[in-house]
Amino acid sequence: MASQPGESGLSIRDVGMVYRRGEQVTTALVGCSLEIPEGNWASLIGASGCGKSTLLRILADIVRPTSGTALVGGVTPAEARAARTFALVSQQSTMLPWRKILANVELGLEVAGVDKVERKRRAEEAIELVGLKGFEQAFPSELSGGMRQRAAIARALTLKPRFLLMDEPFGALDEITREKLNFELLRILKETSATLLLVTHSISEAIILSDTVAVMSPRPGRISHVVDIGFGHERTGAMRDDPQFGAYESELRHALHGPAGAPRPMATPSPSHALA
Amino acid sequence: MSSITVPDLAADAAGGSEPGTGPAGIPWGLVLPPVLFVVALVALWAVLSAAGLIPRYILPAPGAVLNEFTRNYAVLARHAAYTSGEAVAGFIIGNAAAVLMAIVFSYSGLLKAAFYPFALISRAIPIVAFTPLLVIVLGRGLPPVIAVVAIAVYFPAFLNMMRGLASADVDYHEMLHTLSASRWQRLKMVDLPASMPYLFAALKVSASVAFICAIVAEWIGANVGLGYLVVISGQYFKLPTLWAAIIVAAVLTLLLLALVVLAERALRRWTAAPGEI
Ligand SMILES: Nc1ncnc2c1ncn2[C@@H]1O[C@H](COP(=O)(O)OP(=O)(O)O)[C@@H](O)[C@H]1O
Ligand SMILES: [Mg+2]
């Protein structure tokens, strides 16, 4: 592996991705580059279809990029997967319908060969953390979409991954649960000093959860803007009231909707955006 | 959710009883009508027989058939034991082979491509028609009968199992892939559980196919069993024996079907319910 010093985080270098399905050719990513140092929290935001999931799936070794390199902890995604250094929470909470929630949350540990007692202990701990205590013996079909998503997060947490890759994990949740889980996740990240790469379409969620927010623009997908969020790692709900929060928000909104002059209904950001 | 089509699912999921389900979990609303229908039918049969409206050489009186069960109990039991043994042995051998081969084939695209079309065509071939050939190869007696049953139940199970093993959502495979699961773990944790509803759909059909094939094969290939008994009693106009043999065959078929349904319920914890895939 061509590993360079200080290169233990997530690294995306000039990555391009072209999907070919028969006649149909889709250029999903072009020249994407992003460096996320180990221990940092980063978010990807962008319109749907601009390649956010593709980028995450490249890092998770589900698809191979057609050009460029992706590194997870200094090694290829395939090596990182074999070493089990990352966990992916995918956009659709993949719960096996024939397993109860406890068994679903245990799945990662079971695959990794962790013994029964230990995996039950760790699964129950993670279930409590995401607020699903009491639902261990329920089947996924008996839970709401948001609860299944939390179970998927719990499954990722049991693995104590160095890198946590999350694809719109809170998309199916209501605002209140969402913010509660945002801060729950921050606490877990600090405890485990994991590196986070989160895909979200919520600007405020991106700010709350990140040191770095990367904005992607569509067709073809590329990283058009990177905003550093200087809030440090001590974060509370009060950060939303910080004037700086609103400034980041409008900066990201501008970046997301293109430069001035591009057609968009609201040209000037107003404080009411903080409510969005 | 309709309690007619999936009575067991709803009760299992809710962990309790639903309307129409007794305290022991027996859905009386489903059991009672057919039982009453059979009772009415037998009553009609008795009345028509007593009135002399049904010729004795076609359908003897219910009393005569009932009498056959008590008088000829040992003979019926002996032949029933042979037929059950053949049907169940063939059922197990054929289905086990089907499941194993489907697993192997699902790993090998080449094997699948080579064999799958023939498995599909096999549905058009009346397997029992091969009995004379199998008798030549295996001799008279149990082996050809078991072979006919095994081959007949093999194909539906194989085809359904192939479909079932390929039925799991690609999202599940991706998830196991990111968890670095082995092929064996993927089979055990996703593909096999996902295939069970497909397998059991085949097993429920095969349960009756097994007995029908065993009986028909016995006409040609054996001198023992319910099929043999039916042929012999027909030739000697022993109509009560013939009808008793038919009733025994029907009851045995239902018993095997009940075993399949019980097995499916017992496995439900580890498999996909039909509505969930
Ligand atoms: N497996 C695939 N085959 C073909 N095209 C795909 C595939 N996955 C994604 N795409 C295409 O790539 C583009 C980016 O998709 P995706 O990464 O899912 O975007 P996002 O997550 O930002 O919504 C879209 O145009 C999508 O249609
Ligand atoms: Mg996506």
Side-chain angles (χ1 to χ4, degrees):
Chain A
M1 225 28 266
S3 143
Q4 289 156 22
E7 185 197 72
S8 57
L10 294 169
S11 165
I12 295 156
R13 286 184 203 150
D14 211 21
V15 161
M17 184 73 195
V18 179
Y19 287 109
R20 274 175 223 281
R21 194 179 273 167
E23 294 285 280
Q24 198 177 328
V25 177
T26 312
T27 306
L29 299 173
V30 165
C32 275
S33 294
L34 184 66
E35 295 288 331
I36 303 159
E38 177 143 32
N40 262 42
W41 308 336
S43 291
L44 276 176
I45 59 173
S48 72
C50 71
K52 307 181 297 294
S53 296
T54 300
L55 209 51
L56 226 57
R57 288 155 62 84
I58 287 171
L59 290 168
D61 192 38
I62 295 171
V63 290
R64 298 257 156 85
T66 31
S67 61
T69 45
L71 297 176
V72 177
V75 299
T76 64
E79 290 165 322
R81 183 173 63 81
R84 298 198 165 92
T85 56
F86 68 81
L88 174 74
V89 178
S90 63
Q91 201 163 354
Q92 52 291 330
S93 61
T94 32
M95 292 280 113
L96 300 176
W98 47 83
R99 282 180 171 236
K100 292 178 176 172
I101 292 304
L102 180 65
N104 260 300
V105 173
E106 280 183 15
L107 189 75
L109 297 171
E110 192 180 333
V111 167
V114 173
D115 78 79
K116 236 180 172 136
V117 180
E118 170 71 0
R119 78 181 182 235
K120 183 158 188 280
R121 192 186 64 72
R122 274 160 73 174
E124 280 172 345
E125 194 181 281
I127 285 173
E128 177 149 23
L129 215 58
V130 299
L132 280 183
K133 203 170 163 59
F135 291 94
E136 291 89 345
Q137 299 305 319
F139 280 100
S141 57
E142 297 165 322
L143 265 53
S144 73
M147 289 160 95
R148 282 200 289 272
Q149 197 55 271
R150 279 190 269 166
I153 295 168
R155 181 176 58 211
L157 293 179
T158 59
L159 300 167
K160 302 205 190 307
R162 258 174 75 197
F163 303 96
L164 192 54
L165 310 174
M166 303 177 104
D167 197 348
E168 300 187 24
F170 306 120
L173 298 179
D174 59 279
E175 194 66 27
I176 299 165
T177 318
R178 191 180 178 127
E179 200 168 304
K180 185 173 153 277
L181 275 182
N182 281 173
F183 287 99
E184 221 30 275
L185 178 63
L186 287 178
R187 195 177 58 71
I188 293 160
L189 288 171
K190 262 198 339 206
E191 246 171 48
T192 59
S193 51
T195 308
L196 172 73
L197 181 56
L198 171 91
V199 170
T200 175
H201 48 226
S202 159
I203 290 178
S204 59
E205 182 170 276
I207 299 169
I208 291 172
L209 290 178
S210 316
D211 302 311
T212 305
V213 180
V215 180
M216 289 186 73
S217 62
R219 268 168 278 282
R222 68 205 151 76
I223 289 164
S224 57
H225 207 85
V226 176
V227 177
D228 286 317
I229 309 294
F231 279 132
H233 280 188
E234 297 298 330
R235 299 180 180 199
T236 64
M239 69 189 281
R240 272 174 164 284
D241 302 324
D242 194 312
Q244 191 55 40
F245 195 96
Y248 288 136
E249 219 170 15
S250 63
E251 183 179 356
L252 287 168
R253 201 173 301 276
H254 277 294
L256 207 50
H257 295 289
R264 58 180 290 250
M266 277 184 295
T268 47
S270 70
S272 68
H273 283 160
L275 296 173
Chain B
M1 175 175 286
S2 158
S3 62
I4 306 290
T5 50
V6 277
D8 42 357
L9 279 187
D12 283 4
S17 52
E18 53 170 329
T21 306
I26 299 167
W28 289 113
L30 293 176
V31 171
L32 225 46
V35 168
L36 288 177
F37 179 70
V38 167
V39 168
L41 214 59
V42 172
L44 186 69
W45 171 17
V47 170
L48 293 180
S49 282
L53 290 171
I54 308 176
R56 285 285 148 86
Y57 56 85
I58 294 173
L59 183 61
V65 175
L66 196 68
N67 196 28
E68 185 66 17
F69 280 107
T70 48
R71 195 173 56 79
N72 228 349
Y73 167 80
V75 172
L76 279 171
R78 190 170 75 85
H79 289 289
Y82 275 104
T83 303
S84 311
E86 293 154 358
V88 170
F91 187 77
I92 291 172
I93 293 169
N95 285 312
V99 169
L100 287 177
M101 281 183 71
I103 289 171
V104 171
F105 279 34
S106 71
Y107 278 81
S108 160
L110 186 66
L111 275 177
K112 183 183 171 180
F115 185 75
Y116 202 66
F118 296 102
L120 283 172
I121 291 167
S122 73
R123 285 192 292 198
I125 300 172
I127 303 295
V128 273
F130 285 108
T131 312
L133 188 69
L134 287 164
V135 169
I136 293 170
V137 177
L138 300 169
R140 283 178 74 83
L142 300 190
V145 180
I146 292 174
V148 166
V149 174
I151 295 168
V153 303
Y154 171 85
F155 288 105
F158 175 79
L159 287 170
N160 269 29
M161 201 60 197
M162 287 298 282
R163 283 208 301 139
L165 286 172
S167 71
D169 204 306
V170 67
D171 291 339
Y172 300 152
H173 287 170
E174 282 181 2
M175 176 187 67
L176 283 198
H177 174 77
T178 61
L179 293 172
S180 260
S182 63
R183 269 310 291 263
W184 161 243
Q185 284 174 323
R186 184 176 120 178
L187 180 70
K188 188 177 66 165
M189 293 170 177
V190 173
D191 293 339
L192 276 179
S195 70
M196 286 301 118
Y198 292 81
L199 176 64
F200 277 100
L203 294 187
K204 283 177 205 164
V205 175
S206 298
S208 61
V209 167
F211 275 95
I212 291 168
C213 283
I215 286 167
V216 174
E218 282 166 354
W219 293 352
I220 308 157
N223 34 27
V224 69
L226 292 173
Y228 171 78
L229 191 61
V230 163
V231 170
I232 290 297
S233 36
Q235 280 168 0
Y236 290 93
F237 293 101
K238 285 159 75 176
L239 270 292
T241 314
L242 189 150
W243 278 96
I246 290 173
I247 290 169
V248 170
V251 169
L252 289 173
T253 302
L254 287 178
L255 280 178
L256 183 57
L257 185 61
L259 279 179
V260 170
V261 171
L262 284 178
E264 184 181 31
R265 284 195 183 196
L267 278 174
R268 176 142 298 141
R269 283 179 60 121
W270 292 280
T271 66
E276 290 167 342
I277 54 166

